[in-house]
Amino acid sequence: MSVGNEASREATDLLAPSADGERYELHSATALPNAGGFLWNRRMMIQATCRGYATAQFMQPEPAKYAHAPNLEARTFMQPEQPYYAHHPGRFFYLKDEDSGAVYSVPYEPVRATPQAFRFSVGKRDIAWCVRYAEIEVEVRLQLPVDDTVELWQCQVRNLDGRARRIALYAYFPVGYMSWMHQSGEYRADLGGIVCRSVTPYQKVEDYFRNRDFKDCTFLVHEQAPDAWDARQSAFEGEGGLHAPSAVLQPRLGGSDARYETPTAALQYCLTLQPQQEQTLRFLFGPARDDAEIAALRQRYLSAGGFAEAAAAYGDYLNEAAGCLHIATPDPCLDNLVNHWLPRQVFYHGDVNRLTTDPQTRNFLQDHMGMSFLRPQTARAALLHALSQQEASGAMPDGILLIEGAELKYINQVPHTDHCVWLPVFLSAYLDETGDAALLDEVVVGTDGHGASVAERLDAAMRWLLGARDARGLSYIAQGDWCDPMNMVGYRGRGVSGWLSVATAYALQLWATLCERHGRHAQAAACRAGAAEVNAAVNRELWDGDWYARGITDDGVRFGIKDDAEGRIYLNPQSWALLAGTADADRRARLLQAVDAQLDTPYGPTMLAPPYTAMREDVGRLTQKHPGSAENGSVYNHAAAFYLHALYAIGDADRAWRVLRAMIPGPDLADYLQRGQLPVFVPNYYRGAWRELPRTAGRSSQLFNTGTAAWLYRCLIEGLFGLKGEGEALCVRPQLPSHWRQATVQRRFRGAVFEVRMQRDAGCVAQQVSVDGQLLDVARIEGIESGRRYRVEVMLPEA
């Protein structure tokens, strides 16, 4: 067996998709300790790790938590590379052998005993763990309903031994430090479980009226009554700590309550299981406003039938995330991601808007660009909603308010200058996919009460971009562009962004193309002239001999250039200069070579290099981030996806494939171990600083909130497989990597299904496309009939 095949077999032994691709399974709790999966519904989201830690949030209407850290904590939902620790919130089950006294925990924390067998199984509709200790197997499953803020937990205990076993099982769901104002916990027999109460802290009178309807209860209710319980963290843990809780070591839990003490939810079941006997327990865990809501949730869900109905409804909900692409290629890891997980991640972003009430405008538009391929009506509505908040100047706000009473918070209170760029980026993808030209004539009433068509609002946005430039013709950056923490380049009003300048040229060109297609020739000409002017300014002011500078500071200092010891080259200006046609053939070759030489790593291209090691006050807080993390030189996959899109735009298929493949963990064992992530989503970054800090390079952030998902899905459809809408036609221009001999693709488009087989042939000198046996003169399939299935053959030359 070859070394490569052996490495692949070792990886498969550790983790692999199920035969149908619907699940991804990991067989160790320690090899990838932070690996996890996520579930969401329209009101909440939870990410759970293989070891049992969990991070959850729900909307009320702003993001909130119901399981907290053991101390006062910030409200931030989740961080990249989320740190886990003994008292981190989780969902655990202790298992005690009543005869031997041995104590274990499921899935792995907090006892950390070595199991006989372990399986962490991430499904698209649920997350499950199956763990065996001393011939007792415990299978735990988490699912969510479609609309309610509640977790549905099922625990099945099986005796695999040849003798009867006496065991105690403890459902332990820590609640944590709820509030410095009020917190308590008690067992409520009338509600069937433990109820923990708190009051969200506030000082201002007006906040009382905002907070009084909050879901400040956290509950764990059971289907089967327990034999004992504890509701006070200190009583449960005692002197033994979570590794060996004092209460678990006693015959029965103490039945304690919590009175202005940190509450918890622990339920004990004393079970005697005959050989091969199984017992099933069900629980609900979540937030509620009052007793009535807890009782209603219990009535609705807490039964075998309730769980089954919720699972069926959730399955129906996720059917909308099926995607428009199904592939079979020489890379099974890519197939699994594309066919099962990536469209799910795209759908999450677009359907619930990352569970926020004020998504950044750039995120909102890019996430819904992805929805153009899954649920176009949602994408359409999103654009109209965003444009209704356009300013009279043509500028777009820093965030889009989704509900009445929402406010711009945190980063959306910092002025950024890039938001108008994303309008034509969104529209180009949406119109190519749907052909919905009528959208351009839709009248949108703005915040000032003035009505204007979508096309007129795009015109205004493009005029704003052209006007927001300095005397050199470069785009102002204010306190950030796409890169949020680049906040000190232009905070005094003079600094400019090299990336935003080329992005402006690209946006103008996209809008010009759309205007030309719809007979708006004067507007198209003005946009093309503006793009040419911006490109000329960039080439005059920002070309550094081998790549483009990132910008010019308030003090007139160019940065992202050869003279810089740190942050010498940035990826984004190079990518968008390719898209905008800023770089001629010579410059294109030079910048591609520079990216290869300075930014390329085994995990993809880094966002910049070398990473900063100390604060640079004329660049900003980006430089304060740890070298190789986040925007300071990580493999920031959103930026890598821009580069990928640019490479397909210029027809560089093999370089594009290397970038694309690096976004996906594996297929060899060493790569999985280094990244530490299951390939069930694309993270926002992998650690960079590959040359400077190789030990941590490649480590996944584990954060699935990222604009990467929409861009990657688009690049796969339009770039790699080249099945892109254009007007009323489907164009066929695949860019398979040279080492692929064939691929098959099922593509849904405009109500039709296209079964496409792509094959290299030694006798083929130029691409040939046939549809249902008929050779096409031009690689465009026109006259598409909704409901029809097309058989497409694509012959490609040898590489």
Side-chain angles (χ1 to χ4, degrees), residues 160-189:
L160 303 181
D161 207 344
R163 60 187 175 91
R165 299 290 296 277
R166 295 190 313 118
I167 63 170
L169 182 78
Y170 305 80
Y172 168 60
F173 285 46
V175 175
Y177 188 101
M178 299 179 78
S179 167
W180 53 260
M181 280 188 62
H182 176 111
Q183 57 178 352
S184 64
E186 61 183 344
Y187 183 80
R188 290 283 302 275

PDB file of all heavy atoms in Angstrom, residues 160-189:
ATOM      1  N   LEU A 160     -24.877  -3.861  27.486  1.00  0.00           N
ATOM      2  CA  LEU A 160     -24.310  -4.800  26.525  1.00  0.00           C
ATOM      3  C   LEU A 160     -23.643  -5.986  27.214  1.00  0.00           C
ATOM      4  O   LEU A 160     -23.083  -6.862  26.545  1.00  0.00           O
ATOM      5  CB  LEU A 160     -23.287  -4.073  25.643  1.00  0.00           C
ATOM      6  CG  LEU A 160     -23.802  -2.841  24.879  1.00  0.00           C
ATOM      7  CD1 LEU A 160     -22.686  -2.249  24.025  1.00  0.00           C
ATOM      8  CD2 LEU A 160     -25.001  -3.194  24.021  1.00  0.00           C
ATOM      9  N   ASP A 161     -23.716  -6.002  28.539  1.00  0.00           N
ATOM     10  CA  ASP A 161     -23.068  -7.048  29.326  1.00  0.00           C
ATOM     11  C   ASP A 161     -23.950  -8.301  29.350  1.00  0.00           C
ATOM     12  O   ASP A 161     -25.138  -8.265  29.010  1.00  0.00           O
ATOM     13  CB  ASP A 161     -22.856  -6.531  30.751  1.00  0.00           C
ATOM     14  CG  ASP A 161     -21.679  -7.209  31.428  1.00  0.00           C
ATOM     15  OD1 ASP A 161     -21.229  -8.250  30.929  1.00  0.00           O
ATOM     16  OD2 ASP A 161     -21.217  -6.691  32.469  1.00  0.00           O
ATOM     17  N   GLY A 162     -23.387  -9.405  29.784  1.00  0.00           N
ATOM     18  CA  GLY A 162     -24.142 -10.652  29.901  1.00  0.00           C
ATOM     19  C   GLY A 162     -24.781 -10.821  31.253  1.00  0.00           C
ATOM     20  O   GLY A 162     -25.318 -11.896  31.559  1.00  0.00           O
ATOM     21  N   ARG A 163     -24.710  -9.802  32.093  1.00  0.00           N
ATOM     22  CA  ARG A 163     -25.296  -9.869  33.427  1.00  0.00           C
ATOM     23  C   ARG A 163     -26.077  -8.584  33.694  1.00  0.00           C
ATOM     24  O   ARG A 163     -25.886  -7.575  33.018  1.00  0.00           O
ATOM     25  CB  ARG A 163     -24.202 -10.038  34.488  1.00  0.00           C
ATOM     26  CG  ARG A 163     -23.188  -8.912  34.508  1.00  0.00           C
ATOM     27  CD  ARG A 163     -22.037  -9.187  35.453  1.00  0.00           C
ATOM     28  NE  ARG A 163     -21.020  -8.151  35.374  1.00  0.00           N
ATOM     29  CZ  ARG A 163     -21.007  -7.056  36.134  1.00  0.00           C
ATOM     30  NH1 ARG A 163     -21.968  -6.858  37.040  1.00  0.00           N
ATOM     31  NH2 ARG A 163     -20.039  -6.161  36.016  1.00  0.00           N
ATOM     32  N   ALA A 164     -26.945  -8.647  34.665  1.00  0.00           N
ATOM     33  CA  ALA A 164     -27.704  -7.450  35.055  1.00  0.00           C
ATOM     34  C   ALA A 164     -26.742  -6.424  35.644  1.00  0.00           C
ATOM     35  O   ALA A 164     -25.758  -6.775  36.313  1.00  0.00           O
ATOM     36  CB  ALA A 164     -28.785  -7.814  36.062  1.00  0.00           C
ATOM     37  N   ARG A 165     -27.055  -5.149  35.389  1.00  0.00           N
ATOM     38  CA  ARG A 165     -26.186  -4.072  35.873  1.00  0.00           C
ATOM     39  C   ARG A 165     -27.019  -3.035  36.614  1.00  0.00           C
ATOM     40  O   ARG A 165     -28.104  -2.628  36.160  1.00  0.00           O
ATOM     41  CB  ARG A 165     -25.475  -3.405  34.691  1.00  0.00           C
ATOM     42  CG  ARG A 165     -24.577  -4.340  33.897  1.00  0.00           C
ATOM     43  CD  ARG A 165     -23.338  -4.739  34.694  1.00  0.00           C
ATOM     44  NE  ARG A 165     -22.494  -3.590  34.964  1.00  0.00           N
ATOM     45  CZ  ARG A 165     -21.593  -3.098  34.102  1.00  0.00           C
ATOM     46  NH1 ARG A 165     -21.416  -3.683  32.932  1.00  0.00           N
ATOM     47  NH2 ARG A 165     -20.870  -2.054  34.413  1.00  0.00           N
ATOM     48  N   ARG A 166     -26.474  -2.587  37.742  1.00  0.00           N
ATOM     49  CA  ARG A 166     -27.091  -1.494  38.499  1.00  0.00           C
ATOM     50  C   ARG A 166     -26.266  -0.241  38.271  1.00  0.00           C
ATOM     51  O   ARG A 166     -25.070  -0.205  38.586  1.00  0.00           O
ATOM     52  CB  ARG A 166     -27.140  -1.834  39.993  1.00  0.00           C
ATOM     53  CG  ARG A 166     -28.022  -3.015  40.353  1.00  0.00           C
ATOM     54  CD  ARG A 166     -28.210  -3.143  41.869  1.00  0.00           C
ATOM     55  NE  ARG A 166     -26.950  -3.019  42.605  1.00  0.00           N
ATOM     56  CZ  ARG A 166     -26.692  -2.054  43.495  1.00  0.00           C
ATOM     57  NH1 ARG A 166     -27.598  -1.127  43.756  1.00  0.00           N
ATOM     58  NH2 ARG A 166     -25.529  -2.032  44.138  1.00  0.00           N
ATOM     59  N   ILE A 167     -26.897   0.760  37.711  1.00  0.00           N
ATOM     60  CA  ILE A 167     -26.181   1.992  37.398  1.00  0.00           C
ATOM     61  C   ILE A 167     -27.005   3.196  37.822  1.00  0.00           C
ATOM     62  O   ILE A 167     -28.233   3.118  37.971  1.00  0.00           O
ATOM     63  CB  ILE A 167     -25.842   2.106  35.897  1.00  0.00           C
ATOM     64  CG1 ILE A 167     -27.119   2.172  35.070  1.00  0.00           C
ATOM     65  CG2 ILE A 167     -24.928   0.986  35.443  1.00  0.00           C
ATOM     66  CD1 ILE A 167     -26.864   2.524  33.625  1.00  0.00           C
ATOM     67  N   ALA A 168     -26.322   4.283  38.041  1.00  0.00           N
ATOM     68  CA  ALA A 168     -26.982   5.576  38.250  1.00  0.00           C
ATOM     69  C   ALA A 168     -26.579   6.487  37.101  1.00  0.00           C
ATOM     70  O   ALA A 168     -25.390   6.586  36.759  1.00  0.00           O
ATOM     71  CB  ALA A 168     -26.569   6.184  39.584  1.00  0.00           C
ATOM     72  N   LEU A 169     -27.556   7.103  36.504  1.00  0.00           N
ATOM     73  CA  LEU A 169     -27.319   8.046  35.407  1.00  0.00           C
ATOM     74  C   LEU A 169     -27.738   9.432  35.874  1.00  0.00           C
ATOM     75  O   LEU A 169     -28.821   9.603  36.459  1.00  0.00           O
ATOM     76  CB  LEU A 169     -28.126   7.644  34.178  1.00  0.00           C
ATOM     77  CG  LEU A 169     -27.912   8.538  32.956  1.00  0.00           C
ATOM     78  CD1 LEU A 169     -26.603   8.189  32.254  1.00  0.00           C
ATOM     79  CD2 LEU A 169     -29.080   8.433  31.977  1.00  0.00           C
ATOM     80  N   TYR A 170     -26.877  10.409  35.597  1.00  0.00           N
ATOM     81  CA  TYR A 170     -27.131  11.782  36.026  1.00  0.00           C
ATOM     82  C   TYR A 170     -27.127  12.691  34.799  1.00  0.00           C
ATOM     83  O   TYR A 170     -26.096  12.801  34.113  1.00  0.00           O
ATOM     84  CB  TYR A 170     -26.048  12.267  36.988  1.00  0.00           C
ATOM     85  CG  TYR A 170     -25.830  11.384  38.195  1.00  0.00           C
ATOM     86  CD1 TYR A 170     -25.075  10.217  38.090  1.00  0.00           C
ATOM     87  CD2 TYR A 170     -26.372  11.719  39.426  1.00  0.00           C
ATOM     88  CE1 TYR A 170     -24.863   9.405  39.190  1.00  0.00           C
ATOM     89  CE2 TYR A 170     -26.162  10.907  40.542  1.00  0.00           C
ATOM     90  CZ  TYR A 170     -25.409   9.755  40.407  1.00  0.00           C
ATOM     91  OH  TYR A 170     -25.192   8.955  41.498  1.00  0.00           O
ATOM     92  N   ALA A 171     -28.233  13.318  34.519  1.00  0.00           N
ATOM     93  CA  ALA A 171     -28.263  14.366  33.502  1.00  0.00           C
ATOM     94  C   ALA A 171     -27.783  15.645  34.171  1.00  0.00           C
ATOM     95  O   ALA A 171     -28.402  16.113  35.149  1.00  0.00           O
ATOM     96  CB  ALA A 171     -29.674  14.551  32.956  1.00  0.00           C
ATOM     97  N   TYR A 172     -26.672  16.194  33.681  1.00  0.00           N
ATOM     98  CA  TYR A 172     -26.059  17.370  34.313  1.00  0.00           C
ATOM     99  C   TYR A 172     -25.947  18.475  33.269  1.00  0.00           C
ATOM    100  O   TYR A 172     -25.125  18.403  32.355  1.00  0.00           O
ATOM    101  CB  TYR A 172     -24.692  16.998  34.892  1.00  0.00           C
ATOM    102  CG  TYR A 172     -23.873  18.202  35.301  1.00  0.00           C
ATOM    103  CD1 TYR A 172     -24.347  19.096  36.259  1.00  0.00           C
ATOM    104  CD2 TYR A 172     -22.631  18.437  34.734  1.00  0.00           C
ATOM    105  CE1 TYR A 172     -23.601  20.202  36.631  1.00  0.00           C
ATOM    106  CE2 TYR A 172     -21.874  19.542  35.100  1.00  0.00           C
ATOM    107  CZ  TYR A 172     -22.363  20.430  36.044  1.00  0.00           C
ATOM    108  OH  TYR A 172     -21.630  21.517  36.404  1.00  0.00           O
ATOM    109  N   PHE A 173     -26.784  19.495  33.397  1.00  0.00           N
ATOM    110  CA  PHE A 173     -26.807  20.625  32.471  1.00  0.00           C
ATOM    111  C   PHE A 173     -26.501  21.891  33.274  1.00  0.00           C
ATOM    112  O   PHE A 173     -27.397  22.483  33.892  1.00  0.00           O
ATOM    113  CB  PHE A 173     -28.180  20.746  31.809  1.00  0.00           C
ATOM    114  CG  PHE A 173     -28.457  19.713  30.750  1.00  0.00           C
ATOM    115  CD1 PHE A 173     -28.179  18.372  30.955  1.00  0.00           C
ATOM    116  CD2 PHE A 173     -29.003  20.075  29.533  1.00  0.00           C
ATOM    117  CE1 PHE A 173     -28.429  17.418  29.980  1.00  0.00           C
ATOM    118  CE2 PHE A 173     -29.260  19.134  28.551  1.00  0.00           C
ATOM    119  CZ  PHE A 173     -28.976  17.795  28.780  1.00  0.00           C
ATOM    120  N   PRO A 174     -25.237  22.314  33.315  1.00  0.00           N
ATOM    121  CA  PRO A 174     -24.886  23.503  34.097  1.00  0.00           C
ATOM    122  C   PRO A 174     -25.556  24.754  33.529  1.00  0.00           C
ATOM    123  O   PRO A 174     -25.667  24.917  32.322  1.00  0.00           O
ATOM    124  CB  PRO A 174     -23.365  23.566  33.974  1.00  0.00           C
ATOM    125  CG  PRO A 174     -23.043  22.812  32.729  1.00  0.00           C
ATOM    126  CD  PRO A 174     -24.075  21.740  32.626  1.00  0.00           C
ATOM    127  N   VAL A 175     -25.983  25.607  34.421  1.00  0.00           N
ATOM    128  CA  VAL A 175     -26.642  26.856  34.036  1.00  0.00           C
ATOM    129  C   VAL A 175     -25.692  28.036  34.187  1.00  0.00           C
ATOM    130  O   VAL A 175     -25.732  28.984  33.413  1.00  0.00           O
ATOM    131  CB  VAL A 175     -27.919  27.061  34.874  1.00  0.00           C
ATOM    132  CG1 VAL A 175     -28.574  28.406  34.577  1.00  0.00           C
ATOM    133  CG2 VAL A 175     -28.898  25.928  34.608  1.00  0.00           C
ATOM    134  N   GLY A 176     -24.826  27.981  35.191  1.00  0.00           N
ATOM    135  CA  GLY A 176     -23.812  29.002  35.357  1.00  0.00           C
ATOM    136  C   GLY A 176     -24.311  30.252  36.051  1.00  0.00           C
ATOM    137  O   GLY A 176     -25.436  30.323  36.556  1.00  0.00           O
ATOM    138  N   TYR A 177     -23.447  31.249  36.077  1.00  0.00           N
ATOM    139  CA  TYR A 177     -23.722  32.512  36.771  1.00  0.00           C
ATOM    140  C   TYR A 177     -24.687  33.330  35.932  1.00  0.00           C
ATOM    141  O   TYR A 177     -24.319  33.895  34.913  1.00  0.00           O
ATOM    142  CB  TYR A 177     -22.407  33.257  36.988  1.00  0.00           C
ATOM    143  CG  TYR A 177     -22.501  34.490  37.852  1.00  0.00           C
ATOM    144  CD1 TYR A 177     -22.102  34.440  39.189  1.00  0.00           C
ATOM    145  CD2 TYR A 177     -22.957  35.692  37.340  1.00  0.00           C
ATOM    146  CE1 TYR A 177     -22.174  35.582  39.995  1.00  0.00           C
ATOM    147  CE2 TYR A 177     -23.028  36.822  38.145  1.00  0.00           C
ATOM    148  CZ  TYR A 177     -22.635  36.765  39.461  1.00  0.00           C
ATOM    149  OH  TYR A 177     -22.708  37.884  40.246  1.00  0.00           O
ATOM    150  N   MET A 178     -25.932  33.425  36.366  1.00  0.00           N
ATOM    151  CA  MET A 178     -26.976  34.031  35.555  1.00  0.00           C
ATOM    152  C   MET A 178     -27.023  35.549  35.680  1.00  0.00           C
ATOM    153  O   MET A 178     -27.224  36.257  34.689  1.00  0.00           O
ATOM    154  CB  MET A 178     -28.343  33.444  35.930  1.00  0.00           C
ATOM    155  CG  MET A 178     -28.454  31.936  35.713  1.00  0.00           C
ATOM    156  SD  MET A 178     -30.059  31.286  36.204  1.00  0.00           S
ATOM    157  CE  MET A 178     -31.068  31.777  34.809  1.00  0.00           C
ATOM    158  N   SER A 179     -26.856  36.080  36.896  1.00  0.00           N
ATOM    159  CA  SER A 179     -27.043  37.518  37.083  1.00  0.00           C
ATOM    160  C   SER A 179     -26.575  37.937  38.468  1.00  0.00           C
ATOM    161  O   SER A 179     -26.809  37.221  39.455  1.00  0.00           O
ATOM    162  CB  SER A 179     -28.515  37.884  36.924  1.00  0.00           C
ATOM    163  OG  SER A 179     -28.782  39.191  37.379  1.00  0.00           O
ATOM    164  N   TRP A 180     -25.975  39.137  38.564  1.00  0.00           N
ATOM    165  CA  TRP A 180     -25.612  39.656  39.873  1.00  0.00           C
ATOM    166  C   TRP A 180     -26.819  40.269  40.591  1.00  0.00           C
ATOM    167  O   TRP A 180     -26.754  40.574  41.790  1.00  0.00           O
ATOM    168  CB  TRP A 180     -24.483  40.682  39.776  1.00  0.00           C
ATOM    169  CG  TRP A 180     -24.697  41.821  38.801  1.00  0.00           C
ATOM    170  CD1 TRP A 180     -24.178  41.921  37.554  1.00  0.00           C
ATOM    171  CD2 TRP A 180     -25.477  43.014  39.011  1.00  0.00           C
ATOM    172  NE1 TRP A 180     -24.576  43.097  36.948  1.00  0.00           N
ATOM    173  CE2 TRP A 180     -25.372  43.792  37.832  1.00  0.00           C
ATOM    174  CE3 TRP A 180     -26.239  43.505  40.065  1.00  0.00           C
ATOM    175  CZ2 TRP A 180     -26.005  45.020  37.679  1.00  0.00           C
ATOM    176  CZ3 TRP A 180     -26.873  44.737  39.916  1.00  0.00           C
ATOM    177  CH2 TRP A 180     -26.759  45.481  38.747  1.00  0.00           C
ATOM    178  N   MET A 181     -27.929  40.429  39.886  1.00  0.00           N
ATOM    179  CA  MET A 181     -29.121  40.987  40.520  1.00  0.00           C
ATOM    180  C   MET A 181     -29.963  39.919  41.211  1.00  0.00           C
ATOM    181  O   MET A 181     -30.415  40.098  42.334  1.00  0.00           O
ATOM    182  CB  MET A 181     -29.991  41.717  39.486  1.00  0.00           C
ATOM    183  CG  MET A 181     -29.495  43.104  39.148  1.00  0.00           C
ATOM    184  SD  MET A 181     -30.658  44.016  38.097  1.00  0.00           S
ATOM    185  CE  MET A 181     -32.109  44.128  39.134  1.00  0.00           C
ATOM    186  N   HIS A 182     -30.166  38.801  40.506  1.00  0.00           N
ATOM    187  CA  HIS A 182     -31.085  37.792  41.025  1.00  0.00           C
ATOM    188  C   HIS A 182     -30.803  36.487  40.309  1.00  0.00           C
ATOM    189  O   HIS A 182     -30.808  36.439  39.084  1.00  0.00           O
ATOM    190  CB  HIS A 182     -32.542  38.229  40.775  1.00  0.00           C
ATOM    191  CG  HIS A 182     -33.561  37.213  41.182  1.00  0.00           C
ATOM    192  ND1 HIS A 182     -34.412  37.395  42.251  1.00  0.00           N
ATOM    193  CD2 HIS A 182     -33.870  35.988  40.674  1.00  0.00           C
ATOM    194  CE1 HIS A 182     -35.202  36.337  42.369  1.00  0.00           C
ATOM    195  NE2 HIS A 182     -34.895  35.470  41.423  1.00  0.00           N
ATOM    196  N   GLN A 183     -30.565  35.424  41.065  1.00  0.00           N
ATOM    197  CA  GLN A 183     -30.467  34.096  40.471  1.00  0.00           C
ATOM    198  C   GLN A 183     -30.853  33.058  41.522  1.00  0.00           C
ATOM    199  O   GLN A 183     -30.558  33.208  42.700  1.00  0.00           O
ATOM    200  CB  GLN A 183     -29.067  33.816  39.907  1.00  0.00           C
ATOM    201  CG  GLN A 183     -27.931  33.953  40.895  1.00  0.00           C
ATOM    202  CD  GLN A 183     -26.585  33.618  40.263  1.00  0.00           C
ATOM    203  OE1 GLN A 183     -26.508  33.140  39.133  1.00  0.00           O
ATOM    204  NE2 GLN A 183     -25.518  33.854  40.997  1.00  0.00           N
ATOM    205  N   SER A 184     -31.542  32.017  41.047  1.00  0.00           N
ATOM    206  CA  SER A 184     -31.993  30.966  41.951  1.00  0.00           C
ATOM    207  C   SER A 184     -32.290  29.723  41.137  1.00  0.00           C
ATOM    208  O   SER A 184     -32.362  29.772  39.901  1.00  0.00           O
ATOM    209  CB  SER A 184     -33.259  31.408  42.707  1.00  0.00           C
ATOM    210  OG  SER A 184     -34.345  31.603  41.796  1.00  0.00           O
ATOM    211  N   GLY A 185     -32.472  28.601  41.823  1.00  0.00           N
ATOM    212  CA  GLY A 185     -32.814  27.361  41.152  1.00  0.00           C
ATOM    213  C   GLY A 185     -33.531  26.426  42.105  1.00  0.00           C
ATOM    214  O   GLY A 185     -33.201  26.360  43.296  1.00  0.00           O
ATOM    215  N   GLU A 186     -34.529  25.692  41.606  1.00  0.00           N
ATOM    216  CA  GLU A 186     -35.261  24.757  42.450  1.00  0.00           C
ATOM    217  C   GLU A 186     -35.911  23.689  41.583  1.00  0.00           C
ATOM    218  O   GLU A 186     -36.120  23.887  40.383  1.00  0.00           O
ATOM    219  CB  GLU A 186     -36.338  25.482  43.260  1.00  0.00           C
ATOM    220  CG  GLU A 186     -37.394  26.162  42.406  1.00  0.00           C
ATOM    221  CD  GLU A 186     -38.414  26.930  43.225  1.00  0.00           C
ATOM    222  OE1 GLU A 186     -38.490  26.686  44.442  1.00  0.00           O
ATOM    223  OE2 GLU A 186     -39.132  27.773  42.657  1.00  0.00           O
ATOM    224  N   TYR A 187     -36.227  22.548  42.225  1.00  0.00           N
ATOM    225  CA  TYR A 187     -36.975  21.502  41.535  1.00  0.00           C
ATOM    226  C   TYR A 187     -38.458  21.811  41.646  1.00  0.00           C
ATOM    227  O   TYR A 187     -38.971  22.104  42.728  1.00  0.00           O
ATOM    228  CB  TYR A 187     -36.677  20.135  42.138  1.00  0.00           C
ATOM    229  CG  TYR A 187     -37.388  19.020  41.397  1.00  0.00           C
ATOM    230  CD1 TYR A 187     -36.878  18.536  40.200  1.00  0.00           C
ATOM    231  CD2 TYR A 187     -38.584  18.499  41.876  1.00  0.00           C
ATOM    232  CE1 TYR A 187     -37.533  17.529  39.503  1.00  0.00           C
ATOM    233  CE2 TYR A 187     -39.251  17.495  41.179  1.00  0.00           C
ATOM    234  CZ  TYR A 187     -38.725  17.024  39.983  1.00  0.00           C
ATOM    235  OH  TYR A 187     -39.379  16.045  39.287  1.00  0.00           O
ATOM    236  N   ARG A 188     -39.143  21.744  40.498  1.00  0.00           N
ATOM    237  CA  ARG A 188     -40.570  22.017  40.463  1.00  0.00           C
ATOM    238  C   ARG A 188     -41.295  20.766  39.994  1.00  0.00           C
ATOM    239  O   ARG A 188     -41.316  20.436  38.806  1.00  0.00           O
ATOM    240  CB  ARG A 188     -40.850  23.177  39.493  1.00  0.00           C
ATOM    241  CG  ARG A 188     -40.351  24.535  39.979  1.00  0.00           C
ATOM    242  CD  ARG A 188     -41.283  25.093  41.033  1.00  0.00           C
ATOM    243  NE  ARG A 188     -42.631  25.226  40.497  1.00  0.00           N
ATOM    244  CZ  ARG A 188     -43.054  26.307  39.802  1.00  0.00           C
ATOM    245  NH1 ARG A 188     -42.239  27.321  39.588  1.00  0.00           N
ATOM    246  NH2 ARG A 188     -44.285  26.337  39.334  1.00  0.00           N
ATOM    247  N   ALA A 189     -41.915  20.055  40.958  1.00  0.00           N
ATOM    248  CA  ALA A 189     -42.620  18.823  40.603  1.00  0.00           C
ATOM    249  C   ALA A 189     -43.785  19.106  39.677  1.00  0.00           C
ATOM    250  O   ALA A 189     -44.118  18.293  38.796  1.00  0.00           O
ATOM    251  CB  ALA A 189     -43.111  18.133  41.875  1.00  0.00           C
TER     252      ALA A 189
END
